[in-house]
Amino acid sequence: MAFERQPSCQDLSESSALMPVAQARELLRQRLNVIEETEVLALDQCLGRVLASDLSSPMDVPGHTNAAMDGFAIRAADLPEVGKTEVLEVVGESWAGRPWTGALKSGQAIKIATGAVMPRGSDTVVIVEHTQLKGEQVTLGDDTQPGRNVRHAGEDLRQGEAVLAGGTLLMPAEIGQLASLGFAQAEVRKRLKVAVFSTGDELVPLAQSSETALLPGQVFDSNRYTLCAMLQRLGVEVVDLGVIGDSAQATRDVFELAARSADVVVSSGGASVSDADHVSRTLGELGEVAFWRLAMRPGRPLACGNVGGALFFGLPGNPVAVMVTFYQFVLPALQHMMGRLVQEPLTFKARCEQPLRKSLGRVEYQRGIVSVGDDGQTTVTTTGKQGAGRISSMTRANCFIVLPEELASVKAGDLVDVQPFEGLI
Ligand code: AMP
Ligand code: MG
């Protein structure tokens, strides 16, 4: 019988049998839909949620022309000439929330606080530091330009002006913006439901007590914790389906349960080609495979497709490969499905301090530490050995060093692309 070799991650000459990352991204994109359902939530429940539709301002902001500084509201025509002073009569006070309701006349001033409505007839505030008050008389210095220290009605936003686009992630600034416009509630997309399970006969779930001793060959199931933590940060609803052994029947059962319980299913382990690996095969039997072997490292055995109505990701088992494939494939897919405006991950160039080993024909996501040196140059150093099982390489790193397919090696001093974890991990 002819011996047929399978392409592997150690096999450079046949890397063309692996799907390029860009092609896989495109196939994935075609499978994505946006969650339709929305809900109306009180504003204090909206952090991390996605705004359902475009919002425009129901009013001018600020609503009234007001003082930007503490001082005296006056008419610009009463400002002194250069090198001179001017004495005005203080005829009232305007406080934030308690305006002076009269009309200011020439030769008059109103003591005014920051945020207080500018009296009719006034157009300039002379800050308190540039004045001297004696009884009802205020003397102005010549330091103020006409129209200074005033915030005009509508200068931030006009009534009817677009404020936030549908798809905006509601973070503290957006929540403050909505509150400033009087929105006590917002319509947001419903949370995505994501089911998670780990596969592997060697996996030991964490016990409640810290006493668990591992038998030879066993490892703690860490991937489910990493995945649930990343999903929690993303603000999706997590359905934790636990650990599944390496059996065809258990894998089928969990696939069916997961597809019924969630919009997206994410598993780890068992995605490769050994007899103990049931994930890719089961995806082919019960659903549809979009791709399952990629020209990337780590993360070559990444199975992606649909099962029932759910999008499915079978991530590799190695802990670093789980994080890399999550951030490169699962995260953007989930963001899209959550209805978020598309965001490309922040990527910039840094000077690499050491030579890096890299194989031609696949994208590599190496772990690095990016920093700015005394000379102001952005540089990146590797975290060292890049084994996909070393999760310590992720805890030490603060960025991915993204090395494209066509690159064969990196010399010390070369510019490389880095993606900082902040905002990602
Ligand atoms: P697999 O992809 O199933 O061949 O697993 C590759 C490697 O990742 C093996 O060394 C597994 O023991 C390890 N691994 C798989 N799943 C997990 C998990 N949930 N937590 C920690 N390590 C895992
Ligand atoms: Mg396994």
Side-chain angles (χ1 to χ4, degrees), residues 30-364:
Q30 290 166 9
R31 285 178 182 256
L32 300 180
N33 45 25
V34 174
I35 192 159
E36 297 281 343
E37 298 87 0
T38 64
E39 58 189 327
V40 175
L41 294 182
L43 195 56
D44 61 5
Q45 300 301 306
C46 286
L47 182 64
R49 302 298 293 267
V50 178
L51 192 65
S53 49
D54 296 351
L55 275 188
S56 52
S57 179
M59 61 195 207
D60 282 348
V61 179
H64 306 275
T65 299
N66 65 82
M69 302 284 282
D70 293 339
F72 291 86
I74 61 151
R75 292 166 171 262
D78 286 341
L79 283 167
E81 287 170 26
V82 177
K84 300 206 171 149
T85 58
E86 187 71 44
V87 179
L88 302 182
E89 190 193 352
V90 181
V91 295
E93 297 181 352
S94 182
W95 298 95
R98 275 183 289 136
W100 188 73
T101 49
L104 193 78
K105 297 195 191 77
S106 178
Q108 296 182 335
I110 293 291
K111 189 175 184 192
I112 196 161
T114 304
V117 173
M118 290 290 285
R120 249 178 312 135
S122 71
D123 53 22
T124 303
V125 171
V126 180
I127 64 173
V128 72
E129 293 85 346
H130 294 167
T131 65
Q132 274 178 5
L133 184 63
K134 257 204 195 123
E136 310 286 276
Q137 310 282 300
V138 64
T139 307
L140 313 180
D142 66 352
D143 327 67
T144 306
Q145 301 296 316
R148 280 298 300 272
N149 307 314
V150 175
R151 301 188 284 222
H152 291 275
E155 75 174 24
D156 185 9
L157 283 172
R158 285 266 166 222
Q159 184 178 4
E161 193 176 326
V163 183
L164 295 174
T168 299
L169 183 68
L170 298 179
M171 295 304 277
E174 288 76 18
I175 293 200
Q177 172 88 83
L178 291 175
S180 76
L181 298 173
F183 290 106
Q185 301 174 321
E187 187 184 3
V188 297
R189 301 249 177 214
K190 281 229 161 130
R191 275 185 206 281
L192 269 189
K193 266 194 188 173
V194 182
V196 176
F197 62 92
S198 296
T199 71
D201 285 340
E202 76 282 26
L203 300 181
V204 177
L206 296 185
Q208 298 304 329
S209 91
S210 55
E211 292 294 304
T212 317
L214 293 175
L215 299 173
Q218 289 187 327
V219 293
F220 289 118
D221 169 24
S222 64
N223 288 346
R224 211 155 35 92
Y225 286 84
T226 320
L227 281 169
C228 289
M230 294 189 291
L231 290 166
Q232 247 170 291
R233 283 202 60 180
L234 202 56
V236 302
E237 191 180 328
V238 179
V239 183
D240 184 350
L241 298 178
V243 179
I244 307 302
D246 289 318
S247 99
Q249 191 55 48
T251 309
R252 293 176 75 88
D253 292 346
V254 76
F255 262 63
E256 278 164 359
L257 173 64
R260 278 200 307 276
S261 346
D263 306 300
V264 181
V265 181
V266 182
S267 70
S268 74
S272 196
V273 291
S274 86
D275 289 345
D277 293 331
H278 298 281
V279 169
S280 305
R281 210 173 307 135
T282 308
L283 181 61
E285 287 164 9
L286 298 186
E288 275 174 26
V289 182
F291 55 83
W292 76 286
R293 277 190 291 191
L294 300 187
M296 68 184 270
R297 181 183 179 139
R300 183 180 56 91
L302 166 63
C304 176
N306 284 82
V307 53
L311 183 66
F312 182 90
F313 292 96
L315 309 187
N318 275 310
V320 178
V322 166
M323 296 194 82
V324 169
T325 48
F326 184 90
Y327 280 108
Q328 299 302 329
F329 284 89
V330 185
L331 177 76
L334 295 182
Q335 287 174 331
H336 182 97
M337 292 178 76
M338 291 161 78
R340 279 179 61 173
L341 295 168
V342 182
Q343 294 180 317
E344 288 301 316
L346 174 65
T347 305
F348 55 85
K349 299 273 183 204
R351 200 164 297 286
C352 192
E353 291 195 336
Q354 305 96 349
L356 300 178
R357 283 182 57 182
K358 155 80 174 66
S359 297
L360 191 66
R362 66 185 181 207
V363 182
E364 294 194 14

